[in-house]
Amino acid sequence: CCVLLPTYYTSNSAENSDMEMKTFSYFRFTMQRIEPGSSNFWVPFAFAVFFNVFLLWRLWVEWETFITLRFEFLANGDPYIAENKEHLHQYQTSCLVEFVPDSHRRDKELYEYFDALFPGQVKRAEVLLNATKLTKLIEERKAKIIMYENLYAKQFHAKAEYRKKMESHKQHDASLFQYLCCWCLGFEPKKPKEPKTRLSGYFCRKKLVKALPYYLSEIKRLNRLIEDEHRRIILEKAKSEDKESQNFLVSNIVEGIRLFTGTGWDLTCDTGFVQFHSLTAKQSAIQCNITGTTNFMVTSSAPDPRDMVWENSTVERSTIKLKKLQCDTLLLTGTLFWSAVLAFVTSISKLSTVEKFVPPFLVLDPDNPYVYGLIQGYLPVVLLELLMLVFPIFLRFIAENYIRFKTKSQVDKFVFTWHFGYRFANLLIILVSASLYDTLKDAAMSPASVIKNLADGISVQSQFFLNNLIIQAGTENFFELAQGLDMAIHFIMHRIITVEAKSRRYLEKLEEPNRFQWGVVVPVFLFTLMVACVYCTMVPIILSAAAAYFYLSTKVYTHQALFVYAQPYDSGGLIMYSMNRTVLTTLYVSIVIFSTVLWLREASLQVSCFCFPMLMITWLVDRKIQRTFVEPSTTLALTKARIIDEDNRKREERHEIYKKYKQRKQEKEIRKRRNEDRDNSAGMEDLKNIEAIKYNHTKDQETENAIKDQYSAKISAAFSTKKSGVINEGLLLNDYGGEFDCDSDDESKIDFYLYRQPNLNKSIWETKPRSYR
């Protein structure tokens, strides 16, 4: 900027009246000041080369930093998972299997299929269950519990306040003088009423009942329904081993339901998890060509369990792909006519329109052109930013409730892609001052006129983007730093609404930290980068504003990441791959736009020296990044997986050696005490202790072998065909190689698996309201 601004300001503008309008005041610091064909174009040429090379270098440095963290995630997952060794082992050795055919949608068949491919390497296989009704019942029970807790907290607080007022009233009654002087003190405080609720009935009649006993009865009723549904799922899962094939009509109805909802009538679905004994076997399963066909037994690394959207986990992947294609088509079509929305925003943001709806004393004086022009320039920017704040909420709703992605990271990626896509559409529409549909139609008829309009609009519309960057650097950053919405909620809670009148669950929710919305924040960063790349040489003032924005954003979001936000899950940097492609596409577009402007300004020599060489350099760096970082970081290398398995094996051996050392040390201490005590009875007691220690050393292994033998017998009995048709309801085969008692209240102690559906795990069910405090 220190070089470009003096160069543009000291250049001689053209004598053409039309060009004088474009080189006056603010435009004195733009490339429009340079005369066509002038040698001064070598200055922006040199700066453009330096700027693009600098961005490519910074992108390479970011990949060098990212690749280390990516490999660490692929090996050990999130540090939260690594805190528990069993959880870490299950995460490392589990893979997600999709497109499971109907013939293998049972735990036994899925286990045997992968065990045949990887003999002796499969530990368990579980097919997810379509427990939609059970999920709805659990959600309804949770809603009733929350209602009960909220009402109980309000009632408890009201009674406490009543007791305080009664005590104060009795103290006033003790003085007859006070009663005579202030007759109002003689009235007793009003006793709080029992909370009631209305029940819907026939002919729109609603019965009024006590709320707290009613909600308790509803919770107990739902507990019985949930238990019955859970037992039904157990029985149906056991019976599914002997189920007959569906007829033609039923199969077509089921396929139609799957097309619209993603799930069918069957208990099982096309999604499951397979756990291997080693990380090497798991990596081999997700990297090799298992079937040689598409859409059949597709394996991928199991995501972070906190990243799973368990409500959508049973949706078939083919349905997700179809609905995503529909949404992508509609959203892409919407960008062609997005100019109508921008035109509406511009029309309602004119001061002449706003003045009709505000009081007269708020109307600005047109005689003050500075203030009037300042407000007129910022008002459409503010309204457009408000619109773009609402747009990601709409995208997230589509991703979670219509497309129904299975992981939150996929939802974030979808929101990120189309949020940035519409911001990019904003850039193009504002530059060409027309809709993308009209621009494409004009380009087919007269490409030269479209290019000229684009080049002219770049400098003319730069004021809009400058105002946009100022708003983002100032208002948006400091609003993010202030956390105004959360501060307002806490202020209302502590100053207006009494904290004692809220349930413990609600107060705990207030203390939960927010998460960083990648799909909302990152597209704003990339949009600012795109504006900076397009205008870095033509309007260097915008580059200064973008630098100020990134400097402030770095300070603000570093503070937020350290003290405000806490990510509930980790996707392993999946959004980095989309960001890489977006940044490189931005460089390609900016190179073409700058070369076009140079060509229209009759700087042919500079165009020939910049366009094709810079495009070639960017393409070479792009290909180098793909081969060096992108492709190797997709999955964990088998050599690295083998090293991790060896480290785990050695760690277990060291643990066993340490246990034996502890045993020998304990035996030595007992022998030492026995030698010191010559009493025969004491000596016999010590010998018994030694035998007890030896017995305890082998007890765990013998118990485990006995349990395995018992489990194998039960599994064989469960999978065998029952002639009597009677199925044991006490067993639920949740994987091939383990089971739990459906009547037990603590299933996870017998066989815990990180990727088992939470609603099927009774040990984590919430069956009654929490205590008040």
Side-chain angles (χ1 to χ4, degrees), residues 389-438:
L389 286 177
V390 178
F391 188 65
I393 300 175
F394 169 72
L395 293 175
R396 182 170 296 276
F397 178 82
I398 293 176
E400 293 178 346
N401 298 280
Y402 180 71
I403 303 177
R404 301 183 66 185
F405 288 109
K406 296 183 180 182
T407 61
K408 300 173 186 175
S409 56
Q410 291 176 334
V411 174
D412 290 337
K413 184 178 179 181
F414 179 81
V415 175
F416 163 81
T417 301
W418 285 108
H419 184 194
F420 177 78
Y422 271 75
R423 284 190 174 270
F424 179 68
N426 290 343
L427 175 68
L428 294 183
I429 291 171
I430 292 172
L431 289 181
V432 300
S433 300
S435 67
L436 296 182
Y437 175 78
D438 294 336

Side-chain angles (χ1 to χ4, degrees), residues 1-14:
C1 293
C2 297
V3 178
L4 292 178
L5 291 177
T7 302
Y8 296 158
Y9 186 79
T10 57
S11 297
N12 296 323
S13 60

Side-chain angles (χ1 to χ4, degrees), residues 5-199:
L5 291 177
T7 302
Y8 296 158
Y9 186 79
T10 57
S11 297
N12 296 323
S13 60
E15 296 181 357
N16 189 306
S17 59
D18 187 32
M19 289 300 299
E20 287 180 0
M21 293 293 297
K22 299 180 181 179
T23 58
F24 179 73
S25 184
Y26 161 82
F27 295 101
R28 291 180 179 179
F29 302 97
T30 66
M31 202 171 66
Q32 292 289 108
R33 290 276 295 181
I34 301 179
E35 294 182 354
S38 174
S39 59
N40 289 341
F41 280 111
W42 287 109
V43 177
F45 163 83
F47 183 81
V49 172
F50 168 79
F51 184 80
N52 284 273
V53 172
F54 175 77
L55 280 183
L56 293 173
W57 172 74
R58 283 302 308 173
L59 183 61
W60 186 274
V61 172
E62 291 298 326
W63 270 108
E64 289 180 337
T65 305
F66 169 79
I67 198 69
T68 305
L69 301 176
R70 173 66 176 172
F71 285 146
E72 178 65 23
F73 176 83
L74 292 175
N76 300 319
D78 188 73
Y80 175 82
I81 300 178
E83 293 178 359
N84 189 300
K85 293 182 179 179
E86 179 61 24
H87 292 184
L88 175 61
H89 178 70
Q90 291 183 358
Y91 167 78
Q92 289 178 331
T93 57
S94 297
C95 70
L96 175 67
V97 184
E98 296 177 294
F99 292 108
V100 179
D102 292 335
S103 59
H104 291 75
R105 292 185 182 181
R106 285 165 291 276
D107 296 348
K108 179 183 178 181
E109 281 79 2
L110 187 63
Y111 176 90
E112 292 177 345
Y113 178 84
F114 279 91
D115 188 63
L117 295 175
F118 306 94
Q121 292 294 324
V122 182
K123 184 175 182 179
R124 78 174 82 220
E126 292 190 10
V127 178
L128 299 183
L129 305 179
N130 288 323
T132 306
K133 183 179 178 180
L134 179 64
T135 302
K136 292 181 179 179
L137 289 174
I138 292 176
E139 291 176 354
E140 184 180 356
R141 178 177 63 184
K142 184 177 180 181
K144 298 294 184 183
I145 290 175
I146 292 175
M147 291 179 183
Y148 178 88
E149 291 174 353
N150 293 335
L151 278 178
Y152 183 85
K154 292 180 181 179
Q155 182 69 3
F156 185 89
H157 173 65
K159 290 181 178 180
E161 290 294 318
Y162 171 73
R163 287 192 296 267
K164 291 180 181 179
K165 292 180 180 179
M166 284 297 298
E167 292 176 0
S168 176
H169 177 76
K170 291 179 181 179
Q171 293 176 1
H172 287 299
D173 283 347
S175 174
L176 181 61
F177 177 77
Q178 291 181 350
Y179 177 77
L180 295 175
C181 294
C182 186
W183 62 272
C184 62
L185 295 177
F187 292 100
E188 293 185 357
K190 189 176 181 180
K191 187 176 181 179
K193 296 181 180 180
E194 189 76 16
K196 296 184 179 182
T197 184
R198 292 188 178 274
L199 304 180

